[in-house]
């Protein structure tokens, strides 16, 4: 978002619509980590239903639980998962490239959702544009991904470096993954910073610097029938020190669990 496993934006109409289309976009890897691996995708539409439980990093902010429909589409040229779309650049080798765009559903927060955020301005999700390179080696799949915030909210930039391996055991398939996510200073300052006008006697001003989150997770799939699958995705994210040090953050590690059913046409 998968490549991540986080909070409601002011664009209520769009968010409501996008939220009904996307199950698990509450991590920093919404587009990359929850889609199927490159080796096991099938062309066509997919419709399903899923549930997600994710931690929020913000003080006094409740963990998020959702029960939502899920929509996906896969073709030779396009891949869609919820509010994200990939445009595939043709390649006949083990190295492939994609152009990507997605709405950062789940990013940021509404200050009214927590007493600890009282006096803060809302932080809105971004519209992310970027690209991804994928190398399918005999051992594992490696990927590098860059995206910038085109909405102008944060002026943030994100770089993912990830590795995952797909294998089967009986009727089950497993895809463990490990990713490092570099967030630039603008991203950290916007989503985890405290402006001078937002500081109080108990909440110091804070800007933060660039930092790196580390995510580990596994996706487990089980076929009910030829065109019906059940998936479980578990992940844990270790927040970078510049996020952990923020006065509005009270966690160092975030966990998420997502379970969904998908019917492929």
């Amino acid at each position: 978002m998968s490549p991540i496993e986080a909070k409601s934006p002011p664009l209520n109409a769009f968010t409501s619509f996008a939220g009904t289309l996307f199950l698990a976009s509450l991590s920093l890897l919404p587009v990359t980590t929850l889609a199927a691996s490159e080796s096991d995708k099938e062309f066509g539409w997919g419709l399903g239903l899923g549930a997600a439980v994710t931690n929020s990093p913000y003080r006094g902010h409740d963990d998020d639980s959702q029960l939502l429909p899920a929509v996906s589409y896969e073709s030779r040229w396009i891949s869609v998962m919820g509010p994200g779309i990939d445009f595939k650049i043709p390649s006949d080798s083990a190295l492939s490239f994609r152009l990507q765009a997605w709405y950062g559903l789940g990013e940021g927060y509404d200050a009214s959702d927590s007493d600890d955020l009282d006096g803060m301005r809302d932080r809105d999700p971004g519209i992310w544009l970027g690209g991804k390179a994928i190398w399918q080696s005999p051992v594992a799949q490696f990927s590098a991904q860059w995206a910038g915030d085109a909405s102008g909210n944060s002026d943030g930039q994100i770089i993912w470096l990830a590795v995952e391996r797909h294998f089967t055991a009986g009727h089950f398939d497993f895809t463990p993954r490990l990713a490092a996510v570099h967030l630039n200073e603008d991203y950290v300052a916007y989503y985890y910073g405290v402006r001078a006008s937002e500081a109080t006697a108990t909440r110091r001003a804070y800007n933060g610097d660039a930092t790196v989150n580390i995510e580990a997770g596994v996706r487990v799939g089980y076929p009910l029938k030829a065109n019906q699958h059940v998936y479980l995705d578990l992940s844990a994210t270790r927040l970078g020190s510049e996020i952990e040090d923020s006065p509005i953050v009270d966690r160092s590690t975030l966990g998420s669990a997502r379970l969904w059913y998908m019917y492929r046409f």
Side-chain angles (χ1 to χ4, degrees):
M1 223 65 90
S2 231
I4 301 152
E5 286 193 297
K7 300 190 172 188
S8 54
L11 306 176
N12 293 328
F14 179 83
T15 303
S16 176
F17 174 72
T20 61
L21 295 182
F22 192 45
L23 158 65
S25 59
L26 301 179
S27 70
L28 285 174
L29 302 171
V31 178
T32 58
T33 61
L34 294 178
S37 299
E38 299 298 317
S39 60
D40 68 352
K41 284 185 176 178
E42 300 177 5
F43 290 169
W45 287 96
L47 294 175
L49 180 69
V53 179
T54 61
N55 295 147
S56 169
Y58 300 107
R59 291 186 180 276
H61 203 282
D62 293 336
D63 293 341
D64 192 88
S65 300
Q66 299 187 56
L67 180 64
L68 299 172
V71 177
S72 68
Y73 175 73
E74 192 73 26
S75 74
R76 182 180 178 185
W77 308 108
I78 296 175
S79 179
V80 176
M81 186 65 178
I85 182 169
D86 288 9
F87 298 94
K88 304 176 184 179
I89 298 175
S91 174
D92 295 326
S93 67
L95 184 63
S96 60
F97 301 90
R98 296 181 174 208
L99 300 177
Q100 299 181 306
W102 73 90
Y103 177 73
L105 183 64
E107 290 177 330
Y109 56 81
D110 281 352
S112 60
D113 290 341
S114 168
D115 291 340
D116 293 278
L117 298 176
D118 186 43
M120 299 287 294
R121 295 187 62 181
D122 295 346
R123 300 300 198 262
D124 301 330
I127 297 174
W128 298 91
L129 302 177
K132 181 179 181 181
I134 303 165
W135 178 46
Q136 188 68 56
S137 79
V139 177
Q141 176 182 289
F142 298 88
S143 61
Q145 188 175 359
W146 171 88
D149 183 5
S151 69
N153 289 336
S154 68
D155 294 323
Q157 296 186 42
I158 309 175
I159 298 174
W160 290 266
L161 297 175
V163 58
E164 63 180 49
R165 178 177 172 83
H166 179 80
F167 64 93
T168 60
H171 293 293
F172 291 89
D173 63 80
F174 299 86
T175 309
R177 65 181 182 272
L178 181 65
V181 185
H182 179 273
L183 310 170
N184 77 340
E185 180 179 352
D186 289 331
Y187 186 103
V188 174
Y190 182 74
Y191 287 110
Y192 302 102
V194 178
R195 299 162 183 163
S197 61
E198 298 169 329
T200 66
T202 58
R203 184 175 62 218
R204 72 186 189 280
Y206 183 78
N207 191 63
D209 204 345
T211 197
V212 176
N213 291 347
I214 302 296
E215 186 203 7
V218 61
R219 181 176 64 87
V220 183
Y222 181 81
L224 299 177
K225 293 183 179 180
N227 56 348
Q228 300 182 53
H229 290 76
V230 174
Y231 299 98
L232 173 66
D233 188 280
L234 302 173
S235 68
T237 299
R238 182 66 169 86
L239 297 176
S241 59
E242 294 295 316
I243 295 175
E244 186 180 356
D245 290 344
S246 168
I248 61 172
V249 170
D250 65 354
R251 295 178 186 268
S252 59
T253 302
L254 306 180
S256 69
R258 302 156 181 132
L259 177 67
W260 72 101
Y261 161 86
M262 186 67 71
Y263 182 94
R264 291 193 176 106
F265 296 94

